Amino acid sequence: MPLPDTMFCAQQIHIPPELPDILKQFTKAAIRTQPADLLQWSAGYFSALSRGDPLPIKDRIEMPMATQKTDTGLTPGLLKVLHKQCRHKPSVKLADLEQKWKNLCLPVEKFRALLQLDPCKDKIEWIKFLALACSMLGGNLTKAMKHVCEILTNDPEGGPSRIPFETFSYIYHYLSKLDSDISAEDTESYLANLKKNIDARNSSMIGVSDFYFPKRTLLGNFEENAAKT
């Protein structure tokens, strides 16, 4: 039975003073993050807000990716959100990680498929899960490491995306061991050459430009040649 209509006067209605700002920040976060399931994401947002945890908010609006071989729903922006939420602990409980994954409206079957690459029981080292997720984004090891650098870096967006070589080497070793086409000798040789180049400039940091060389388009080559003539 529907409740009877009740009339209130302005003096009877109390609006919490913090409510307008909470709703304003929530609306801005929803617009920036563009969740596929607004209700699911909202539940995660307010749950994190109530606990004082990092919120599931993208840094900026993100254009849809057209480079993934399969539509996993995962994007660099969403992976950055997960990193902000999980990086404070070396390991994360799988149940908590799965809930954060679902709160970002990502397919649970993709989460479980990732874990099948390196099965574990109750917890997983966060940096390893991040590496596995980057491999899903990248499609190959080099592109995966590019995503790793862009997510872990402290450089501003658009910068060289540098991370400590020690971290790079650890993640590269981990992912290469999961790829049967890459031998241990090839891995060591590749990392040794990178380390040599980095040592030559007296640095302990590696950036994307140190190892990632995207193929140039025919149009780009044509324009460069035209400019020289």
Side-chain angles (χ1 to χ4, degrees), residues 17-203:
E18 64 272 21
L19 180 60
D21 187 59
I22 289 175
L23 294 179
K24 179 181 178 181
Q25 296 304 320
F26 165 75
T27 302
K28 290 167 63 177
I31 292 172
R32 186 187 309 166
T33 306
Q34 298 285 303
D37 185 333
L38 182 60
L39 291 179
Q40 175 71 55
W41 176 83
S42 299
Y45 176 92
F46 285 110
S47 179
L49 184 64
S50 67
R51 297 192 305 265
D53 292 342
L55 299 175
I57 306 172
K58 288 183 181 180
D59 294 334
R60 57 182 175 82
I61 294 178
E62 190 175 31
M63 297 301 293
M65 291 184 66
T67 57
Q68 290 178 247
K69 294 182 179 179
T70 58
D71 183 14
T72 63
L74 186 63
T75 67
L78 290 176
L79 195 48
K80 284 183 181 180
V81 172
L82 273 179
H83 180 58
K84 286 190 293 185
Q85 293 183 308
C86 300
R87 64 185 175 186
H88 57 288
K89 293 182 180 180
S91 297
V92 59
K93 293 180 180 180
L94 295 184
D96 292 342
L97 183 53
E98 182 173 337
Q99 186 59 55
K100 288 179 171 61
W101 182 274
K102 290 194 291 187
N103 287 342
L104 291 174
C105 313
L106 294 169
V108 177
E109 62 271 17
K110 298 299 181 183
F111 173 80
R112 294 170 182 167
L114 273 181
L115 294 179
Q116 289 301 311
L117 297 175
D118 187 18
C120 50
K121 291 186 178 180
D122 301 318
K123 292 184 177 181
I124 187 170
E125 188 177 336
W126 167 245
I127 200 70
K128 288 185 176 180
F129 183 84
L130 176 66
L132 293 174
C134 284
S135 70
M136 176 181 282
L137 279 178
N140 61 51
L141 185 51
T142 301
K143 289 182 180 179
M145 295 308 300
K146 175 178 180 289
H147 287 299
V148 165
C149 289
E150 291 171 344
I151 290 171
L152 294 181
T153 188
N154 290 322
D155 291 330
E157 187 172 349
S161 298
R162 296 166 298 180
I163 64 172
F165 182 78
E166 183 179 0
T167 302
F168 181 96
S169 179
Y170 178 80
I171 295 174
Y172 191 92
H173 270 118
Y174 172 67
L175 289 179
S176 65
K177 288 178 181 178
L178 298 177
D179 190 334
S180 59
D181 293 331
I182 302 177
S183 68
E185 292 77 12
D186 288 341
T187 295
E188 295 303 328
S189 175
Y190 177 76
L191 290 174
N193 286 331
L194 288 179
K195 185 68 164 57
K196 181 179 179 181
N197 293 335
I198 292 168
D199 289 343
R201 62 172 188 259
N202 296 318
S203 176

